[in-house]
Amino acid sequence: MGNVTVITGGTSGIGRAIVEKIAEHSSEGDKIIVNYGHNDQNARQLLISFEEELRSRIILIREDLSKYENIDPFCKKIKEKTDHIDWLVLNTGVGTYLPFEEYTFDLWDNIMRTNLSVPAFLIRELSELMAVNGNVILMASHAGQVPYSSSVVYGVTKAGLIFLARTLVKVLEKRRVSINAIAPGFIETRWQDGRSEESYERINKKIALHRFGEPSEVADLCWSVLNNDYLNGSVFEVHGGYNYF
Ligand SMILES: NC(=O)c1ccc[n+]([C@@H]2O[C@H](COP(=O)([O-])OP(=O)(O)OC[C@H]3O[C@@H](n4cnc5c(N)ncnc54)[C@H](OP(=O)(O)O)[C@@H]3O)[C@@H](O)[C@H]2O)c1
């Protein structure tokens, strides 16, 4: 039975690096089911970046996972492609730098659903497919561990994901499925597009390694967590030594 990964938000940044890492180590019969929300061009670019053999192991599913009504169709599409999941990586995340005073109910709800609520219900819906000794990873953030007033709702959702990982340990116990969270600091993805030199310098001064992380460095951590069957209910930080002064 091949190893089956399902990853959300797998066509860009950290998610893409995780797909590349898993594909690199994959064998014949393995499948990597890669979800994305909107950008077909990114999805196509990811696909054509692989040699034919690896490409044949990748299954793309476009589904906007900011909406509850898309959970069912998404899970149905997954069930058409596989009868089990070994690794479920819930990586999709969105944020806003709008001041808290300017938030609308819709903005709050959209970020809550995308980052926290939909992932929670995806785990519920897909847990029956999870193989014994399967692993779930939730992509949280350092912003879910320390308060940032510049991204209130984002931080709240990421703190929620960390608590979800801990809380679901007992729920998933009967299937011997593990669940962990990864909490990256500042990672060089399109999230940093438009960041000024001054902003980079200010933040780099707070990072002991004096640089932003690479998506591949988060993917390396993710790979280690997925391959260690004794990790469960833990949070793994990857931030180059942020705020240790
Ligand atoms: N970059 C950082 O510094 C950083 C730090 C800490 C934590 N994180 C977390 O790491 C994760 C990935 O971040 P990233 O920087 O790699 O982001 P990214 O480059 O913007 O990639 C986001 C991925 O999520 C998908 N996505 C967005 N909205 C979606 C939706 N509604 N439904 C389905 N897929 C959707 C995107 O596909 P489409 O474009 O096609 O929608 C894309 O594949 C997020 O959870 C983020 O919070 C990032």
Side-chain angles (χ1 to χ4, degrees):
M1 204 162 59
N3 185 290
V4 178
T5 302
V6 173
I7 175 165
T8 64
T11 55
S12 171
I14 293 171
R16 178 175 172 150
I18 294 170
V19 170
E20 287 167 348
K21 184 84 188 175
I22 293 173
E24 186 189 315
H25 289 86
S26 67
S27 325
E28 203 185 333
D30 291 354
K31 288 179 193 165
I32 310 172
I33 300 177
V34 181
N35 155 261
Y36 65 103
H38 316 88
N39 192 326
D40 294 318
Q41 203 186 340
N42 265 352
R44 263 196 305 274
Q45 271 173 7
L46 170 72
L47 209 54
I48 60 175
S49 70
F50 290 113
E51 299 283 328
E52 205 175 325
E53 197 189 344
L54 290 189
R55 199 182 307 153
S56 68
R57 297 175 195 159
I58 311 270
I59 299 166
L60 289 170
I61 300 182
R62 177 177 166 154
E63 197 74 62
D64 179 353
L65 294 178
S66 66
K67 299 183 169 71
Y68 291 126
E69 60 267 30
N70 292 343
I71 293 176
D72 258 6
F74 179 57
C75 293
K76 273 194 190 116
K77 286 176 199 165
I78 291 172
K79 287 172 192 171
E80 283 164 13
K81 302 288 181 195
T82 182
D83 59 1
H84 74 282
I85 300 170
D86 296 282
W87 295 339
L88 175 62
V89 181
L90 298 172
N91 167 72
T92 302
V94 291
T96 178
Y97 286 117
L98 214 63
F100 182 56
E101 292 75 14
E102 292 175 28
Y103 280 19
T104 61
F105 295 144
D106 277 352
L107 177 78
W108 179 277
D109 282 348
N110 183 54
I111 295 174
M112 285 300 272
R113 278 196 313 272
T114 308
N115 292 6
L116 180 60
S117 313
V118 169
F121 283 100
L122 280 175
I123 295 169
R124 196 184 71 173
E125 293 311 307
L126 293 175
S127 63
E128 65 181 34
L129 272 195
M130 293 296 299
V132 173
N133 283 329
N135 284 309
V136 180
I137 290 195
L138 303 180
M139 195 56 66
S141 170
H142 192 58
Q145 297 177 301
V146 295
Y148 286 94
S149 58
S150 57
S151 47
V152 173
V153 62
Y154 178 76
V156 169
T157 62
K158 295 300 186 179
L161 276 183
I162 288 169
F163 207 69
L164 190 66
R166 294 205 174 108
T167 314
L168 288 182
V169 166
K170 288 299 275 183
V171 176
L172 297 173
E173 178 186 22
K174 48 187 171 298
R175 302 190 61 83
R176 297 290 183 274
V177 169
S178 299
I179 179 163
N180 294 286
I182 290 180
F186 289 88
I187 308 299
E188 199 54 72
T189 71
R190 66 181 178 182
W191 279 40
Q192 317 305 343
D193 288 357
R195 185 177 289 284
S196 66
E197 274 308 308
E198 181 277 325
S199 173
Y200 270 110
E201 275 174 32
R202 187 167 35 81
I203 293 167
N204 280 340
K205 277 187 194 146
K206 294 187 186 172
I207 302 172
L209 294 179
H210 292 278
R211 65 172 178 86
F212 282 32
E214 292 300 325
S216 61
E217 291 169 319
V218 182
D220 287 348
L221 173 62
C222 186
W223 176 251
S224 304
V225 177
L226 287 170
N227 281 284
N228 188 327
D229 282 342
Y230 203 59
L231 302 177
N232 200 5
S234 299
V235 184
F236 298 94
E237 300 177 14
V238 48
H239 53 46
Y242 182 74
N243 249 346
Y244 276 75
F245 301 96

